[in-house]
């Protein structure tokens, strides 16, 4: 008992007075870092609000072409992953390493599921042509020299081609929404924001998954436990912020319009 | 016996210090010691400064028009200008005092053994190196010529992809800045020595703390702005492209929302250094400690509200211009408070004029000129005339070089004995100061006149009537270059052959002077207990 206890005792770093002192410092550091993450997304939200107020119809039309069902599924997936992450932290604190590892693995699986669903969403948009900038044109080189107004969009070409509509599972409802989109000038702006915002969030999901894998390895090797769980808790907080950002992105892009 | 014991212990601590704690290159490359990391930043920033200085001399030599044919081709001139600006702003002045002096000094002045997160500190250094390398490679291989501000559509409409790499480099260095700021905030909150209450914290640390707050709050906006440039270049998302409904001026809002607070990332630590130098060489308690400390925080706060004054002629509304003009004036108040308090500290003090003090006095003179001409530029009516002329160039060089670089040089000469355990030649320091101070005024004061006469900035060429003043300016740049060469020689000589430094060569009062020169690995043999303010000369 004594031997086990002493071997698992956590040694705080030399410049701190105690383990508690180190823990409190680490906690403060993590929260400050998360503030910077929120601020980075905050800049994007400011840009979104500016352009939304400039082009309200463009943003409403664009929003209606998004698949809110897939977005909702992803929301549920992330909420489940937040639960499994919180459970993992709790199990590490209680020294139940195997269960904690299972919870961490489930969290990574949720991240993977989120990205798979996003892959299908993005693929559909690439096929239909609801993408930003020059890539929304049949001929991307067409818009050079300020002649964009004369160029044909992929959406327009698609709507003339019943076979392509069938192939990409575009139903009548989606057709009417796509017509509404291209009836407005500057319609690509919405998709610029959609891809930048969800893309940046996706990068954070992937980064979060790698961090969770890192603490997963630490858990298996019993480098963390009741005496020292700062890495798991820190990564958990990061994951909760990633989840929180999506909870703002989903209604903003998919629902409000 | 007691005396003998003390002497023995002192001798031991002098013999064993952070410089010989671990030997070989690898022990430096993997060090977790904030003092060594500070020196690594010093070596890196100094090298980058020399490179940036080379481009500056090239620009000035070109603009002197000594020959019949232009020295540089237009594209080459644009690249020199971009390289000089990007290197000096992102790689020298922003990290110069916080990362180098801040890393070395902050934990010792707090009575701490290290920063809160030593591994993160080393990580910050390598992230900085990676960012600088990425930016440098884009400048070398992709020939970026947008200027350091990356304005759209210039940065996004051209076919060159160098902008993406340079932007990625700036993004990476920004991340390093965030992590350093985070480290300093937690260290200041959590690792102060017993007895060091908030009103006993050295003013250098108040300045670094305020700077860290700006780094944490402003740099993420830079990050998203740079990311949006990358997205614009690669995906054509249209956020800054009027063809797609975007607005190029929005980029300027985003960019200056970071980059004007970034000016204070540059200048606040400099002000912190000046507080240390003025008190040490006046042998007098700082006048208005709380006013100086809180004015640092006030400057940090107001710095977020004034970005629009870079954009008076961008098409911004008249009302916005008026608001930004008025708020910009407010930054002058806490700045003036500092200057008043420094002068009051010197009054009836025992003032001596070693090299560090000369740099501090030079700072006060030059920075005041920069500040007052900033008031001109904060007036919308005058700014319409001065915008994008050499008046602006002179203004920000007085602030950033006359201010920050003077303080950095003073700080180096001041803390050099503590860093290396040896003294520099004070004569060498004074000579370099005379050359830099004189050369600086000869270089940049004519540019105020040129700007008022209407000479545009960033141009490869100019009208004949500007020739004489440009040539005078170029001669000044040679004096500056010579001054820095003298400083470099003085420092190298100090490291190699300098006289052994006592623990407290200046008779100063902050904690770093209570430990050995150079300090041991954990900074103090025994953690000090603080019983008085940091400048208690009474």
């Amino acid at each position: 008992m004594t031997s086990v206890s002493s071997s698992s005792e956590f040694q705080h770093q030399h410049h701190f007075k105690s383990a508690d002192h180190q823990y409190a410092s680490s906690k403060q550091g993590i929260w400050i870092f998360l503030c910077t993450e929120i601020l980075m997304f905050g800049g994007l939200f400011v840009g979104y609000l500016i352009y939304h107020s400039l082009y309200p119809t463009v943003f409403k039309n664009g929003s209606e072409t998004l698949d809110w069902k897939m977005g909702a599924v992803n929301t549920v997936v992330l909420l489940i992953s937040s639960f499994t992450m919180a459970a993992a932290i709790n199990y590490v604190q209680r020294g139940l390493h195997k269960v904690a590892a299972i919870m961490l693995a489930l969290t990574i699986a949720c991240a993977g599921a989120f990205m798979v669903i996003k892959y299908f969403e993005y693929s559909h948009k690439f096929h239909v042509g609801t993408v930003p900038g020059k890539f929304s044109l049949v001929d991307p080189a067409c818009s050079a020299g300020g002649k964009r107004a004369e160029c044909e969009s992929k959406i327009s070409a698609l709507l003339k081609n019943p076979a392509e509509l069938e192939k990409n599972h575009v139903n009548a409802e989606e057709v009417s929404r796509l017509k509404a989109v291209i009836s407005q000038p500057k319609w690509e702006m919405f998709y610029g924001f959609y891809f930048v915002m969800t893309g940046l969030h996706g990068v954070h999901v992937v980064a979060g998954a790698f961090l969770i894998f890192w603490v997963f390895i630490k858990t298996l090797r019993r480098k963390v436990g009741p005496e020292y769980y700062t890495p798991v808790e820190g990564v958990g907080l990061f994951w909760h912020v990633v989840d929180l950002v999506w909870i703002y992105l989903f209604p903003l892009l998919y629902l409000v319009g | 016996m007691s005396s003998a014991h003390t002497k023995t212990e002192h001798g031991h601590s002098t013999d064993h210090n952070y410089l010989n704690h671990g030997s070989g290159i690898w022990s430096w490359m993997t060090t977790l010691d904030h003092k060594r990391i500070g020196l690594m930043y010093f070596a890196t920033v100094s090298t980058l400064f020399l490179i940036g200085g080379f481009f500056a001399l090239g620009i000035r030599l070109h603009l002197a028009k000594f020959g019949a044919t232009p020295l540089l081709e237009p594209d080459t001139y644009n690249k020199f200008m971009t390289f000089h600006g990007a290197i000096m702003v992102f790689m020298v002045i922003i990290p110069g005092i916080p990362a180098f002096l801040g890393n070395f000094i902050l934990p010792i002045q707090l009575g701490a053994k290290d920063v809160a997160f030593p591994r993160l500190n080393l990580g910050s250094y390598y992230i900085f190196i990676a960012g600088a390398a990425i930016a440098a490679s884009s400048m070398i291989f992709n020939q970026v010529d947008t200027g350091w501000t990356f304005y759209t559509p210039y940065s996004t409409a051209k076919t060159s992809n160098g902008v993406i790499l340079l932007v990625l480099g700036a993004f990476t260095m920004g991340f390093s800045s965030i992590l350093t700021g985070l480290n300093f905030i937690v260290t200041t909150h959590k690792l102060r020595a017993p007895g060091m209450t908030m009103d006993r914290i050295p003013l250098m640390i108040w300045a670094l703390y305020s700077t860290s707050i700006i780094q944490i709050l402003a740099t993420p906006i830079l990050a998203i702005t740079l990311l949006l440039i990358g997205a614009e270049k690669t995906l054509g998302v249209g956020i800054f492209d009027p063809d797609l409904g975007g607005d190029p001026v929005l980029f300027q809002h985003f960019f200056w929302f970071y980059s004007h607070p970034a000016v204070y990332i540059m200048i606040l630590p400099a002000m912190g250094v000046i507080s240390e130098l003025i008190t040490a060489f006046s042998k007098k308690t700082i006048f208005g400690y709380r006013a100086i400390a809180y004015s640092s925080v006030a400057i940090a706060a107001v710095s977020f509200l004034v970005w629009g004054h870079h954009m008076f002629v961008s098409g911004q509304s008249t009302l916005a211009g008026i608001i930004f003009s008025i708020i910009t004036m407010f930054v002058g108040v806490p700045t003036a408070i500092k200057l008043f308090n420094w002068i009051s500290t010197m009054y009836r003090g025992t003032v001596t004029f070693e090299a560090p003090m000369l740099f501090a006095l030079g700072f006060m003179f030059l920075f005041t000129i920069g500040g007052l001409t900033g008031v001109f530029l904060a007036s919308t009516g005058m700014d319409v005339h001065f915008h994008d002329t050499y008046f602006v160039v002179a203004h920000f060089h007085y602030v950033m070089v006359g201010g920050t670089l003077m303080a950095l040089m003073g700080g180096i000469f001041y803390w050099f004995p503590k860093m290396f355990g040896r003294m520099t030649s004070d004569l060498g320091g004074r000579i370099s100061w005379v050359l830099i101070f004189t050369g600086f005024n000869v270089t940049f004061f004519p540019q105020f006149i040129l700007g008022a006469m209407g000479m545009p900035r960033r141009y490869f060429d100019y009208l004949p009537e500007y020739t004489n003043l440009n040539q005078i300016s170029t001669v000044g740049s040679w004096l500056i270059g010579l001054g820095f060469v003298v400083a470099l020689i003085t420092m190298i000589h100090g490291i190699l052959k300098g006289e052994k430094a006592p623990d407290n060569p200046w008779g100063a009062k902050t904690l770093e002077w209570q430990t050995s020169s150079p300090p041991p690995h954990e900074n103090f043999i025994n953690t000090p207990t603080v019983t008085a303010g940091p400048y208690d000369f009474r």
Side-chain angles (χ1 to χ4, degrees):
Chain A
M1 176 59 70
T2 301
S3 156
V4 170
S5 173
S6 64
S7 70
S8 68
E9 183 179 351
F10 172 69
Q11 285 297 322
H12 62 85
Q13 291 174 326
H14 71 107
H15 55 297
F16 292 110
K17 290 176 294 194
S18 66
D20 284 346
H21 186 209
Q22 176 168 335
Y23 174 76
S25 300
S26 298
K27 200 65 172 288
Q28 187 180 81
I30 289 163
W31 277 109
I32 293 174
F33 175 73
L34 294 179
C35 285
T36 69
E37 291 289 292
I38 291 173
L39 283 164
M40 184 163 67
F41 279 99
L44 263 182
F45 282 103
V46 169
Y48 178 93
L49 292 175
I50 289 171
Y51 282 108
H52 188 284
S53 68
L54 288 173
Y55 305 108
T57 306
V58 163
F59 276 70
K60 175 176 182 293
N61 291 345
S63 175
E64 288 178 350
T65 63
L66 303 181
D67 188 338
W68 68 266
K69 295 186 185 70
M70 282 194 168
V73 170
N74 262 348
T75 305
V76 172
V77 167
L78 279 191
L79 288 174
I80 291 172
S81 74
S82 266
F83 170 78
T84 56
M85 187 73 224
I89 296 169
N90 181 264
Y91 287 126
V92 169
Q93 288 172 346
R94 292 157 58 189
L96 303 173
H97 291 90
K98 286 182 180 172
V99 186
I102 292 172
M103 288 297 157
L104 291 170
L106 286 176
T107 310
I108 297 174
C110 287
F114 181 93
M115 295 306 291
V116 167
I117 293 170
K118 184 150 297 298
Y119 166 80
F120 284 110
E121 281 192 278
Y122 275 22
S123 294
H124 185 69
K125 287 177 176 48
F126 296 152
H127 294 145
V128 169
T130 49
V131 292
K134 62 185 180 182
F135 299 106
S136 67
L137 304 176
V138 173
D139 175 12
C142 175
S143 60
K147 300 184 183 299
R148 181 173 199 88
E150 303 166 20
C151 307
E152 181 173 43
S153 66
K154 286 176 176 172
I155 295 178
S156 176
L158 176 72
L159 292 177
K160 299 172 185 171
N161 191 330
E164 285 294 313
L165 288 173
E166 180 77 23
K167 177 182 171 187
N168 287 289
H169 314 291
V170 181
N171 58 29
E173 184 181 8
E174 189 170 358
V175 165
S176 68
R177 288 175 178 169
L178 292 171
K179 286 180 178 174
V181 164
I182 61 177
S183 71
Q184 297 288 315
K186 321 293 187 187
W187 58 266
E188 304 93 334
M189 176 61 69
F190 173 83
Y191 298 104
F193 274 98
Y194 172 79
F195 278 100
V196 170
M197 293 174 102
T198 57
L200 183 61
H201 176 263
V203 168
H204 280 76
V205 170
V206 173
F210 278 106
L211 288 171
I212 296 167
F213 183 71
W214 172 63
V215 297
F216 172 78
I217 297 297
K218 270 184 174 293
T219 302
L220 288 181
R221 293 180 175 171
R222 295 175 181 248
K223 301 275 190 180
V224 291
E227 299 281 335
Y228 173 63
Y229 48 82
T230 305
V232 196
E233 192 172 54
V235 169
L237 285 172
F238 177 81
W239 188 247
H240 293 321
V241 166
V242 171
D243 191 357
L244 184 67
V245 169
W246 177 257
I247 287 174
Y248 280 94
L249 279 180
F250 172 62
L252 199 63
L253 292 170
Y254 289 78
L255 301 182
V256 174
Chain B
M1 176 57 71
S2 162
S3 169
H5 174 74
T6 301
K7 177 173 168 58
T8 301
E9 178 176 292
H10 177 78
H12 172 74
S13 68
T14 301
D15 292 335
H16 184 256
N17 57 63
Y18 80 100
L19 291 170
N20 56 34
H21 179 96
S23 64
I25 292 291
W26 189 246
S27 77
W28 280 80
M29 300 288 286
T30 58
T31 184
L32 299 183
D33 185 342
H34 67 97
K35 299 181 290 300
R36 287 187 165 202
I37 292 171
L39 289 195
M40 285 157 63
Y41 273 112
F42 180 31
T44 305
V45 168
S46 300
T47 305
L48 291 164
F49 176 71
L50 291 176
I51 296 172
F54 164 80
F55 287 118
L57 291 172
I59 291 169
R60 286 277 15 125
L61 199 56
H62 169 83
L63 291 174
K65 292 193 174 183
F66 288 129
T69 57
L71 179 70
L72 304 173
E73 291 300 310
D75 275 352
T76 307
Y77 175 85
N78 284 342
K79 289 163 193 166
F80 267 50
M81 181 192 67
T82 300
F83 297 174
H84 169 68
I87 289 173
M88 289 308 209
V89 173
F90 290 117
M91 301 180 198
V92 174
I93 294 186
I94 286 183
I97 296 180
F100 158 41
L101 290 180
N103 253 307
F104 196 97
I105 296 301
L106 182 137
I108 316 184
Q109 277 198 344
L110 287 173
K113 297 175 180 175
D114 210 312
V115 291
F117 309 118
R119 269 191 189 77
L120 192 70
N121 203 16
L122 185 62
S124 299
Y125 174 73
Y126 284 119
I127 292 170
F128 172 75
I129 292 289
I134 293 168
S137 66
S138 77
M139 290 191 272
I140 294 169
F141 298 113
N142 292 96
Q143 318 277 284
V144 183
D145 56 4
T146 57
W148 74 276
T149 52
F150 311 121
Y151 271 17
T152 57
Y154 197 44
S155 60
T156 52
K158 297 183 66 176
T159 53
S160 165
N161 281 323
V163 166
I164 293 179
L165 265 186
L166 189 44
V167 156
L168 178 60
F171 180 98
T172 306
M173 286 186 281
F175 203 39
S176 169
S177 181
I178 288 176
L179 296 177
T180 299
L182 184 155
N183 228 329
F184 285 179
I185 288 175
V186 178
T187 305
T188 303
H189 275 286
K190 296 295 186 182
L191 291 173
R192 301 200 302 272
M196 185 175 282
T197 53
M198 291 300 284
D199 59 354
R200 291 175 174 169
I201 294 177
L203 291 168
M204 173 69 168
I205 293 178
W206 272 102
L208 289 168
Y209 180 79
S210 302
T211 301
S212 298
I213 291 175
I214 300 178
Q215 284 170 318
I216 293 291
L217 296 182
T219 312
I221 306 302
L222 173 74
I224 199 61
T225 304
L226 297 175
L227 189 146
L228 288 175
I229 287 194
E232 191 81 24
K233 289 283 292 184
T234 57
L235 304 176
V237 295
I239 291 171
F240 304 125
D241 182 351
D243 260 2
L244 292 165
D247 182 0
V249 175
L250 182 66
F251 173 82
Q252 294 186 34
H253 283 288
F254 274 17
F255 180 81
W256 287 115
F257 185 86
Y258 162 78
S259 288
H260 199 78
V263 170
Y264 296 100
I265 292 177
M266 302 176 208
I267 199 63
L268 276 175
M271 292 175 173
V273 173
I274 299 306
S275 292
E276 304 294 324
L277 300 185
I278 295 293
T279 52
F281 295 101
S282 301
K283 297 299 186 291
K284 192 172 170 220
T285 305
I286 189 84
F287 183 95
Y289 169 90
R290 285 176 186 260
I292 296 183
Y294 294 149
S295 66
S296 289
V297 183
I299 288 171
V302 178
S303 71
F304 283 93
L305 307 176
V306 297
W307 77 87
H309 72 224
H310 291 270
M311 300 166 58
F312 288 141
V313 301
S314 67
Q316 174 177 259
S317 73
T318 302
L319 176 61
I322 291 172
I323 293 174
F324 281 121
S325 179
I326 293 172
I327 299 178
T328 300
M329 302 290 182
F330 285 133
V331 184
V333 175
T335 307
I337 287 172
K338 284 178 178 293
L339 273 157
F340 171 73
N341 287 344
W342 290 326
I343 294 173
S344 298
T345 301
M346 294 172 63
Y347 177 69
R348 299 179 75 123
T350 307
V351 182
T352 55
F353 298 97
E354 289 88 342
M357 183 58 159
L358 293 180
F359 280 103
L361 295 174
F363 169 100
M364 290 168 68
F365 180 84
L366 299 174
F367 182 73
T368 300
I369 293 178
L372 290 175
T373 53
V375 173
F376 291 6
L377 296 170
S379 309
T380 50
M382 299 184 78
D383 187 74
V384 170
H385 178 67
F386 288 136
H387 189 84
D388 269 340
T389 69
Y390 264 82
F391 192 95
V392 176
V393 173
H395 157 69
F396 71 71
H397 278 87
Y398 266 84
V399 171
M400 286 159 64
V401 180
T404 303
L405 209 47
M406 277 285 162
L408 178 55
M409 294 298 289
I412 293 171
F413 281 114
Y414 179 62
W415 280 297
F416 189 98
K418 186 59 56 178
M419 291 175 183
F420 297 104
R422 294 183 178 274
M423 304 297 295
T424 49
S425 154
D426 202 58
L427 177 63
R430 295 181 187 200
I431 291 174
S432 80
W433 176 80
V434 169
L435 291 167
I436 293 170
F437 182 83
T438 305
F440 181 86
N441 282 291
V442 174
T443 302
F444 291 105
F445 199 84
Q447 293 183 22
F448 279 127
I449 303 173
L450 286 167
M453 292 167 65
M455 178 178 173
R457 66 189 284 200
R458 295 185 177 201
Y459 277 36
F460 152 85
D461 198 358
Y462 54 76
L463 297 174
E465 57 259 39
Y466 302 132
T467 303
N468 286 344
L469 286 171
N470 268 287
Q471 291 180 346
I472 291 172
S473 183
T474 299
V475 171
S477 71
W478 300 342
L479 291 180
I480 298 179
L482 182 59
F484 280 111
V485 169
V486 171
L488 183 60
I489 292 171
T490 301
M491 291 177 198
I492 292 175
H493 176 272
I495 292 173
L496 298 179
K497 299 180 176 178
E499 169 188 339
K500 202 108 170 132
D503 291 349
N504 191 354
W506 315 118
K509 294 294 181 178
T510 40
L511 286 187
E512 75 270 31
W513 306 108
Q514 293 179 26
T515 187
S516 313
S517 299
H521 176 58
E522 289 193 344
N523 296 342
F524 298 92
I525 299 298
N526 299 303
T527 298
T529 299
V530 178
T531 57
Y535 312 108
D536 191 4
F537 286 93
R538 279 182 284 258

